[in-house]
Amino acid sequence: MTARVENSKPERARYAALTQFARRNGLQIGIVGVMLGIWLLFIIGAPETFLKKDIYRALMTSVPYWGVIALPLTMVIIAGDIDLSFISIMAVGMVAFWEGYDLTNSLGIAFAAALVSGFLVGLLNGIIIVKMGIPSLIATIGTQFFWRGVVEVVRRGQGESLTLARDTVLRDVLVSKVGGYVPAQVIWMILVALVVWFILNRHKLGAHTYLIGDNEGSARLMGVNVDRTRMLLFALVGVASAFGGVLQSLDVWYFWPNLGEGYLMNTLAAVFLGGTSVFGGTGTILGTFVGCFIIGAIQPGIIAVGLTGYWTKLIYGLIITVSVAMHAIVRRRME
Amino acid sequence: MDYILEMRDITKSFGEVQSLRNVNFRVAANEIVGLLGDNGAGKSTLIKIITGYHRPDSGEILFRGQKVEDLTVPKARALGVETVYQERALADLQTLWRNIFLGRELSNRFGVLQVKRMKEETHRLMVEQMGYTSSAVNPDSVIKTFSGGEKQGVAITRALYFHAELVILDEPTMGLSLHETRKLLNFVRDIKVAGKSAVFIDHNVFHVYSVADRVVVLDRGQIAGEFLTKDITHDELMEKMYRVAQTGSLD
Ligand SMILES: Nc1ncnc2c1ncn2[C@@H]1O[C@H](COP(=O)(O)OP(=O)(O)OP(=O)(O)O)[C@@H](O)[C@H]1O
Ligand SMILES: [Mg+2]
């Protein structure tokens, strides 16, 4: 009897610790579970594709183009805002890249020009939203059109070959195949994820991001600089958008003026699939990271399993809706 | 006399509503000032000007005799003002430790958070101040599920943690049990013993009377009068409060 009591104490403590871990990390455990489940389905459905490395190389190649944007966008959404203009900022960044190169013949300066222009355009989003009090959903619909329009006017629909970047340090560092297999851009995406994770969880900026999305009034009463934080987050998405645009353009050797079109829904879906609340205040970087690869894998997975491409959107919709509903349930359970 | 805070001729309007009219308000060093007044009298507006949340339309604010321009919340906190707001100012979806350090996170000079230290401090506060013993509540608990009184306890503990020179308490007994209320009133007396100052707002005249050195009565945005508690009995104070509510005058 006494032996059992003595035994059960640490056991109960371990159990309590375990449930608390599950509670605290429920959303992240959930999204990893979803990923493993979908992966398993694809392996069973199309072993000849999903047991070979080609598909993974393809995912690691193309997901980072927009994945690097989804990560800081997660912070914007946690703060209770949204940005729909990043797809146009990708192209703005490449226009700046090209103009910068044209002027200086330096790829380094071209790259810096892209990042700086992304930062400034993102910051301008923030200024319009915060200083003029326009809801970010509306404001960034406007700026999405505006900046795409600027790109079209400047470029007159013309693309630009980027073969000049052949055998340059910049291209090697950003998009070469590391060890002949791993695309460098996925390593960049991991680095971006680590940096954003650190900012969100270990820096004041991240702490304030959560607080603003949770209760802006409380944040203001307690002295959080709400306006500056929100503006800075939009600027970060701007930089990341330009970065993503450079990654893709250098990787495919070409800059199309419609760069970014088609990524809007993917990117947002990845963030929400990852468990970030559209109401703000909660969300994780791990969730978004995994969400990106789930979203990226769905289309090739569906084709590999033998369904026609017609099924893609239906299954996309299903997975996103079910996951988001699941998050809502998990969140209610945790309360 | 040494004043930790002086407000001169403060006026504040919200659109049509004039919340404060030519208010002069002072808090001496080591003084507990009770602020009484009807709903909408302007008490919260006044203290939010002290905390830097509202900017007055006109008038001046002095801390320890020094005029302060463009007071902001971080500035006020740096000057030693900590506040329990009537609306609590908590973030429900966040953990206890994040709420304790809300807006004043411990960090190095690059803004990198000292998470471990904040959690340890929170744990210490829970045990020593809040008297939590349940293992279900820890610094990582999300405060959403806390009871109203527990949340109020978080807001109060937070205000006391930073060793403020001036603690402002806007209806801190709201939602507190008899026992917790007594504990709070003792906290306020401790502020006095520690040589610090406080502004205490409460609709319960007895609470105010029992801790305050001086009572200021606000009526429709103006100071209606003030008394030293040693010069007036509790019953007289009650009597005057009724009269103000009815006639707008103390006598
Ligand atoms: N942010 C605001 N915007 C508009 N009007 C406001 C605002 N804050 C306060 N007021 C108005 O100012 C007046 C004073 O409000 P205040 O909150 O200071 O009263 P109070 O004395 O704290 O009342 P209570 O005891 O009910 O808390 C009220 O008429 C209120 O409607
Ligand atoms: Mg009030």
Side-chain angles (χ1 to χ4, degrees), chain A residues 248-260:
Chain A
Q248 170 164 0
S249 303
L250 285 182
D251 199 29
V252 302
W253 300 106
Y254 204 85
F255 160 46
W256 274 281
N258 69 350
L259 172 67

Side-chain angles (χ1 to χ4, degrees), chain B residues 100 121-131 157 161:
Chain B
I100 293 282
E121 285 295 289
T122 303
H123 183 78
R124 188 179 62 75
L125 288 172
M126 284 170 61
V127 175
E128 291 176 11
Q129 306 270 350
M130 298 191 243
T157 308
Y161 170 78

Side-chain angles (χ1 to χ4, degrees), chain B residues 14 17 19 37-46 54 86 171 203:
Chain B
F14 297 101
V17 184
S19 301
D38 216 339
N39 291 120
K43 305 181 295 298
S44 297
T45 306
L46 182 67
H54 286 319
Q86 188 171 6
E171 300 192 28
H203 284 294

Side-chain angles (χ1 to χ4, degrees), chain A residues 289-310:
Chain A
F289 190 87
V290 172
C292 286
F293 283 93
I294 294 176
I295 292 290
I298 290 174
Q299 186 163 15
I302 286 166
I303 309 251
V305 168
L307 293 170
T308 64
Y310 295 125

Side-chain angles (χ1 to χ4, degrees), chain A residues 140-163:
Chain A
T140 58
I141 288 176
T143 55
Q144 182 200 120
F145 277 107
F146 178 79
W147 290 109
R148 181 67 66 190
V150 168
V151 171
E152 282 173 3
V153 168
V154 171
R155 299 298 316 169
R156 300 183 175 281
Q158 290 290 300
E160 213 68 65
S161 166
L162 295 172
T163 45

Side-chain angles (χ1 to χ4, degrees), chain B residues 106-131:
Chain B
L106 303 180
S107 66
N108 70 13
R109 69 198 142 107
F110 303 109
V112 177
L113 301 177
Q114 294 163 336
V115 174
K116 191 156 165 271
R117 221 180 105 207
M118 287 191 275
K119 287 188 187 181
E120 283 167 3
E121 285 295 289
T122 303
H123 183 78
R124 188 179 62 75
L125 288 172
M126 284 170 61
V127 175
E128 291 176 11
Q129 306 270 350
M130 298 191 243

Side-chain angles (χ1 to χ4, degrees), chain A residues 160-181:
Chain A
E160 213 68 65
S161 166
L162 295 172
T163 45
L164 54 96
R166 185 182 302 283
D167 294 328
T168 58
V169 178
L170 184 74
R171 190 174 185 282
D172 283 353
V173 168
L174 292 181
V175 294
S176 66
K177 300 282 179 283
V178 178
Y181 176 73

